[in-house]
């Protein structure tokens, strides 16, 4: 009940993974029975979707095979309490499912995109490919020339086909569902701090179903979490420490 209250958008499978991390030897079926008995939210079944490759072995898109093989990025929009727009650039590694950065600003253009990518590449290395839609910031000549110079190939999805950027679209949905929809931001600064804190929890604590219900970048000591912060995040004030029970 405590975990379901703290992580209100998690289903019983992720709560089971968190319980096991805390030393509880319990199966998901038992957790599901308790879940239903206590009237907790059970996520609705998703509509089956076709895969992005054909049955004959051919591939409709480049599939990630290793870390730094394929990154993907996209924009997400929100608003502060006064009705002003917030724009977020989300960047993930498709193979590890780790969120490499979330740049939050009032406006983000092609030069801000280049700056955000450069900051992440300084400490994560240069990806072989980067996937995106055909937004004006992503197809800008300056950005494409810069990516070519650093040795990164560009993978553009078909117009009107967001499912071809499925990893990033899935992440954006989690960001909105688990963070943006439950927060009221009174300033840009507050949004930057809260969203960056959620990103760290997503990478280090949140169980990911595609990774066997393990987080993309688990930590062993809580103080190390500060070192995992993206250089695109604000430096001050420091993040509030997470509760003691999250230390694994």
């Amino acid at each position: 009940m405590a975990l379901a209250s703290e992580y209100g958008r998690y289903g019983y499978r992720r709560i089971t993974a968190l319980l096991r991390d805390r030393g509880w030897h319990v199966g998901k079926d038992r957790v599901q029975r308790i879940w239903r008995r206590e009237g907790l939210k059970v996520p609705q079944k998703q509509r089956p979707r076709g895969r992005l490759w054909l049955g004959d072995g051919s591939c409709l898109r480049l599939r990630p095979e290793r870390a730094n093989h394929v990154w993907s990025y996209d924009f997400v929009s929100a608003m502060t309490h006064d009705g002003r727009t917030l724009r977020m650039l989300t960047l993930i590694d498709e193979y590890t499912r780790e969120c490499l950065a979330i740049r939050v600003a009032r406006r983000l253009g092609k030069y801000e995109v280049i700056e955000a990518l450069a900051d992440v590449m300084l400490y994560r290395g240069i990806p072989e490919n980067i996937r995106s839609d055909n937004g004006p910031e992503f197809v800008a000549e300056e950005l494409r020339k810069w990516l070519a110079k650093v040795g990164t190939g560009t993978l553009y999805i078909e117009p009107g086909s967001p499912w071809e950027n499925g990893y990033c679209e899935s992440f954006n949905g989690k960001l909105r569902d688990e963070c943006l929809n439950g927060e009221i931001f009174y300033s840009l600064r507050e949004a930057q701090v809260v969203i960056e804190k959620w990103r760290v929890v997503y990478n280090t604590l949140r169980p990911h179903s595609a990774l066997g219900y393990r987080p993309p970048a688990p930590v062993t000591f809580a103080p190390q979490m500060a070192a995992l912060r993206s250089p695109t995040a604000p430096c001050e004030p420091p993040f509030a420490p997470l509760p003691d029970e999250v230390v694994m």
Side-chain angles (χ1 to χ4, degrees):
M1 292 293 291
L3 289 172
S5 177
E6 181 176 359
Y7 303 102
R9 298 300 297 167
Y10 287 9
Y12 69 89
R13 290 183 177 87
R14 286 195 172 86
I15 295 298
T16 301
L18 292 176
L19 285 169
R20 289 172 177 169
D21 287 342
R22 286 157 173 75
W24 292 78
H25 300 286
V26 62
K28 64 178 179 64
D29 292 339
R30 185 179 182 186
V31 175
Q32 184 184 30
R33 289 196 297 271
I34 298 173
W35 196 266
R36 293 182 183 276
R37 185 189 68 195
E38 298 297 332
L40 300 174
K41 181 185 73 68
V42 178
Q44 296 180 352
K45 291 184 179 180
Q46 297 183 12
R47 179 174 59 85
R49 294 175 293 179
R51 296 194 178 273
L52 297 177
W53 52 90
L54 303 178
D56 61 0
S58 59
C59 188
L60 298 180
R61 69 171 184 181
L62 181 64
R63 296 171 63 185
E65 299 176 354
R66 53 194 173 275
N68 282 1
H69 183 206
V70 182
W71 290 2
S72 60
Y73 55 176
D74 198 5
F75 284 115
V76 178
S77 296
M79 290 192 301
T80 47
H81 185 259
D82 57 5
R84 298 176 62 193
T85 299
L86 285 173
R87 208 169 190 212
M88 287 154 271
L89 175 69
T90 58
L91 176 65
I92 67 168
D93 186 313
E94 291 190 358
Y95 183 79
T96 65
R97 311 300 175 90
E98 182 179 359
C99 176
L100 304 176
I102 304 178
R103 172 68 67 92
V104 185
R106 294 294 184 184
R107 294 183 179 181
L108 289 169
K110 54 191 175 184
Y111 295 112
E112 286 76 19
V113 172
I114 293 175
E115 180 184 3
L117 290 175
D119 286 342
V120 177
M121 289 179 186
L122 283 174
Y123 76 101
R124 291 303 300 261
I126 297 174
E128 297 176 41
N129 303 278
I130 189 163
R131 195 188 321 271
S132 71
D133 60 26
N134 295 272
E137 298 85 0
F138 300 140
V139 300
E141 183 178 0
E142 293 87 343
L143 174 60
R144 290 194 292 177
K145 286 183 178 180
W146 181 80
L147 289 172
K149 287 181 179 179
V150 299
T152 298
T154 53
L155 304 172
Y156 293 110
I157 66 175
E158 289 294 324
S161 304
W163 55 85
E164 292 188 11
N165 196 11
Y167 292 103
C168 206
E169 291 289 342
S170 175
F171 172 80
N172 292 345
K174 295 178 177 66
L175 169 62
R176 189 169 297 281
D177 183 51
E178 298 174 10
C179 180
L180 302 181
N181 288 348
E183 298 285 349
I184 298 176
F185 302 119
Y186 291 94
S187 67
L188 171 62
R189 179 64 172 175
E190 180 185 14
Q192 291 172 334
V193 172
V194 170
I195 292 170
E196 176 64 10
K197 182 177 179 181
W198 179 87
R199 187 189 73 88
V200 173
V201 171
Y202 176 89
N203 284 338
T204 59
L205 295 175
R206 183 188 185 278
H208 200 298
S209 58
L211 302 176
Y213 288 96
R214 295 182 179 275
V219 295
T220 55
F221 300 100
Q224 290 181 346
M225 296 181 69
L228 294 174
R229 290 180 51 206
S230 163
T232 62
C235 296
E236 295 180 358
F239 297 119
L242 293 173
D244 293 338
E245 62 267 24
V246 303
V247 180
M248 294 185 285

